Amino acid sequence: MQQIKVPKGMKDVLPGESGRWRAVESAMRRAALLAGYREIRTPVLEYTELFARSSGETSDVVRKEMYTFLDKGGRSVTLKPESTAGTVRAFLESGLYAQALPLKLYYVNAPHFRYEAPQSGRLREHHQFGMECFGAAQPSVDAELIRIVMELLAGFGLKNLQTRINSIGCPKCRPAYQQRFREYLAGKQDKLCKACVERTQTNPMRVLDCKEEGCQRELADAPVMLDCLCDECREHFDLLRQYLSIAQVPYTVDPRIVRGLDYYTKTVFEVTTQMNTGVLTVCGGGRYDGLVEELGGPAVAGVGFGMGVERVLMLLDQLEEGECLLAPEEEAPEVFVASLHKGLGPQAFSLMEAFRKAGLRADMDHQARSLKAQFKYADKLNARYIAILGDEEAERGAVKLRDMATKEEWEAALAAAPGELKKRIRLSGKEE
RNA sequence: GUGGGCAUAGUUCAGUGGUAGAGCGCCAGAUUGUGGCUCUGGAUGUCGUGGGUUCGAACCCCACUGCUCACCCCA
């Protein structure tokens, strides 16, 4: 039989890894909660038009990376490539904008899809933690978000992260800049890469973050948006910097960050790290003051970010022993019930149930294996104690308990064993 | 979309034309009521698929498929 494999660009999270996922997730939830953000869950699937309208028809995501198909009703639907659009849609559709603003939302472990060639750190399905704030025009929120991101990542033990910020202006000041920039590029068309020649027409600012060396050379003395901000954007950016310094967030200003989605205004930021293969973006975000209106709602400011969970885990993998500050949840059985022979199965089962009722993680033999094999298995599971049921003990209504680490063994009455073991575990937990 | 690399046991891989292998893992025994260490034994393979060359192909050639890495872009 031909084996069916996981679809291209998808990945299973196996039991050996899932503990780390949960640890990362719960740290994210804590961080969000601490800052007053509340969870929102939006569907994986949205109508294609939502992304076309929000991200921009010329963005790479919309043009070539969306997981789009027709459903049985002939509607064009898309697996979400990012979460801001869906969050805004929900915000509008459910009338949340009519409630007290600002409204702070987060999502965690949300699946995202981009149809592209998978490679290291880039899967077709990936998961994001993200935070979005609606109705707050002040840069204190921008700063708060950046601060939360840095705090969170530092809390995992990650180092060598760079935070870069920029302002890409607003509809008031950007057109004039774009005109000026287009004129600058006009004389250099023959020296730019093919993609950039096209971008000059469609979305000139994307030329700024082209990775081609030739293009970057030509851009050395190009005008940057930062120098052309209107008063409002200028003030916003200056204030943002002030807030960041109050929050003691280290960052650099990089006038070349423009980001791939059209909806951004004013603040954009990225958190990256240097890998041996190149720069890896862990988190990216920015302000989108026009998006809610663009999607048919009132003029409500927005700002947010998305963080790649797989990328965070990838960075954690590279930490040395002891540097990673994540504490994965304990999942090894606290007690494993072994029985001498098959006939004791029912007693073993009810003892295991009693352990579980007492709140202990308990398991038992389900294969009628030799006692030796049961010990081996319990050891593989990293069980802390083993409870041995034998005929001699059964006659006395007792069970033998053994500490797997110290090899200490003692006998306990069947009925009392769960309580006794629980007490023992709790006591030793306090000593640690 | 473009270009590299790889594909052999559960897994990591060795095997460059002549009987399909090793480490780890798994199972069992040594130890008939006791794990980790040791020793002994065992199970598991359409050698990615299809074709070609050859007396003979895991090996050489061609095609395909899959995986992987890089570019572009991004989380």
Side-chain angles (χ1 to χ4, degrees), chain A residues 7-292:
Chain A
K8 192 182 180 75
M10 313 285 151
K11 218 182 152 211
D12 300 310
V13 177
L14 302 174
E17 279 176 295
S18 54
R20 282 153 43 83
W21 278 76
R22 283 195 307 280
V24 165
E25 278 165 35
S26 63
M28 288 167 171
R29 286 181 191 282
R30 273 198 307 277
L33 184 68
L34 213 54
Y37 289 73
R38 296 167 67 207
E39 186 177 9
I40 185 168
R41 304 189 186 200
T42 63
V44 188
L45 202 71
E46 297 277 1
Y47 290 123
T48 305
E49 194 193 348
L50 176 68
F51 302 113
R53 268 167 66 182
S54 61
S55 300
E57 300 278 4
T58 62
S59 65
D60 284 318
V61 170
V62 171
R63 277 173 54 213
K64 50 182 191 187
E65 292 173 3
M66 291 210 301
Y67 243 109
T68 297
F69 54 94
L70 292 180
D71 70 10
K72 288 186 180 176
R75 292 168 285 246
S76 179
V77 291
T78 295
L79 298 175
K80 63 181 169 190
E82 58 100 36
S83 271
T84 301
T87 306
V88 172
R89 196 222 78 239
F91 173 74
L92 287 176
E93 190 169 351
S94 55
L96 286 173
Y97 60 87
Q99 299 186 14
L101 297 181
L103 180 69
K104 295 171 147 192
L105 302 169
Y106 78 91
Y107 47 87
V108 66
N109 205 19
H112 290 76
F113 297 83
R114 293 195 191 169
Y115 196 88
E116 51 190 341
Q119 61 185 269
S120 174
R122 194 182 73 176
L123 293 163
R124 285 184 176 179
E125 181 190 26
H126 72 276
H127 299 79
Q128 283 187 29
F129 162 57
M131 298 172 68
E132 316 278 355
C133 179
F134 295 99
Q138 287 300 305
S140 44
V141 183
D142 312 30
E144 162 178 285
L145 289 170
I146 295 171
R147 159 83 177 156
I148 290 167
V149 166
M150 294 309 283
E151 187 91 342
L152 180 68
L153 295 174
F156 293 150
L158 294 174
K159 300 182 194 87
N160 307 319
L161 295 168
Q162 289 84 45
T163 302
R164 303 199 317 276
I165 66 168
N166 188 23
S167 175
I168 58 167
C170 69
K172 269 182 282 178
C173 51
R174 203 186 301 155
Y177 165 76
Q178 282 186 321
Q179 186 52 36
R180 198 174 141 196
F181 186 50
R182 252 198 207 103
E183 281 162 18
Y184 173 87
L185 291 176
K188 300 182 177 292
Q189 293 293 293
D190 51 327
K191 290 175 186 143
L192 296 176
C193 71
K194 231 191 284 172
C196 283
V197 171
E198 198 188 323
R199 287 182 190 124
T200 304
Q201 296 312 315
T202 56
N203 196 347
M205 285 172 80
R206 301 285 302 148
V207 174
L208 279 173
D209 72 349
C210 179
K211 305 296 184 293
E212 292 284 330
E213 258 180 58
C215 295
Q216 282 303 319
R217 239 192 335 269
E218 295 306 315
L219 292 169
D221 57 348
V224 294
M225 186 69 232
L226 264 189
D227 297 328
C228 308
L229 296 176
C230 62
D231 290 347
E232 187 190 325
C233 289
R234 179 84 253 161
E235 191 193 351
H236 188 93
F237 191 66
D238 290 343
L239 255 177
L240 169 62
R241 298 192 60 174
Q242 205 177 315
Y243 281 119
L244 287 177
S245 77
I246 289 170
Q248 297 187 303
V249 174
Y251 68 91
T252 55
V253 173
D254 182 348
R256 294 291 161 83
I257 305 178
V258 299
R259 315 237 2 105
L261 307 170
D262 284 0
Y263 53 64
Y264 286 113
T265 55
K266 295 182 178 157
T267 310
V268 289
F269 71 94
E270 284 179 358
V271 178
T272 60
T273 188
Q274 188 63 47
M275 308 283 284
N276 39 19
T277 54
V279 174
L280 189 79
T281 304
V282 182
C283 174
R287 181 164 280 278
Y288 45 88
D289 287 346
L291 182 58
V292 176

Side-chain angles (χ1 to χ4, degrees), chain A residues 400-422:
Chain A
K400 196 184 270 182
L401 296 170
R402 176 183 172 98
D403 183 322
M404 291 295 272
T406 64
K407 299 187 178 185
E408 183 193 352
E409 257 180 35
W410 72 101
E411 206 171 283
L414 260 178
E420 193 178 308
L421 202 57
K422 193 180 178 186

Side-chain angles (χ1 to χ4, degrees), chain A residues 333-337 351-352 354-356 358-363 383-388 399-404 408 410-429:
Chain A
E334 286 160 303
V335 57
F336 184 91
V337 181
L351 180 59
M352 174 187 74
F355 280 128
R356 288 183 184 170
L360 295 175
R361 294 187 300 274
D363 206 348
R384 190 155 166 195
Y385 294 92
I386 196 163
I388 308 145
V399 60
K400 196 184 270 182
L401 296 170
R402 176 183 172 98
D403 183 322
M404 291 295 272
E408 183 193 352
W410 72 101
E411 206 171 283
L414 260 178
E420 193 178 308
L421 202 57
K422 193 180 178 186
K423 199 165 146 198
R424 203 181 164 98
I425 288 171
R426 212 173 36 223
L427 281 177
S428 72

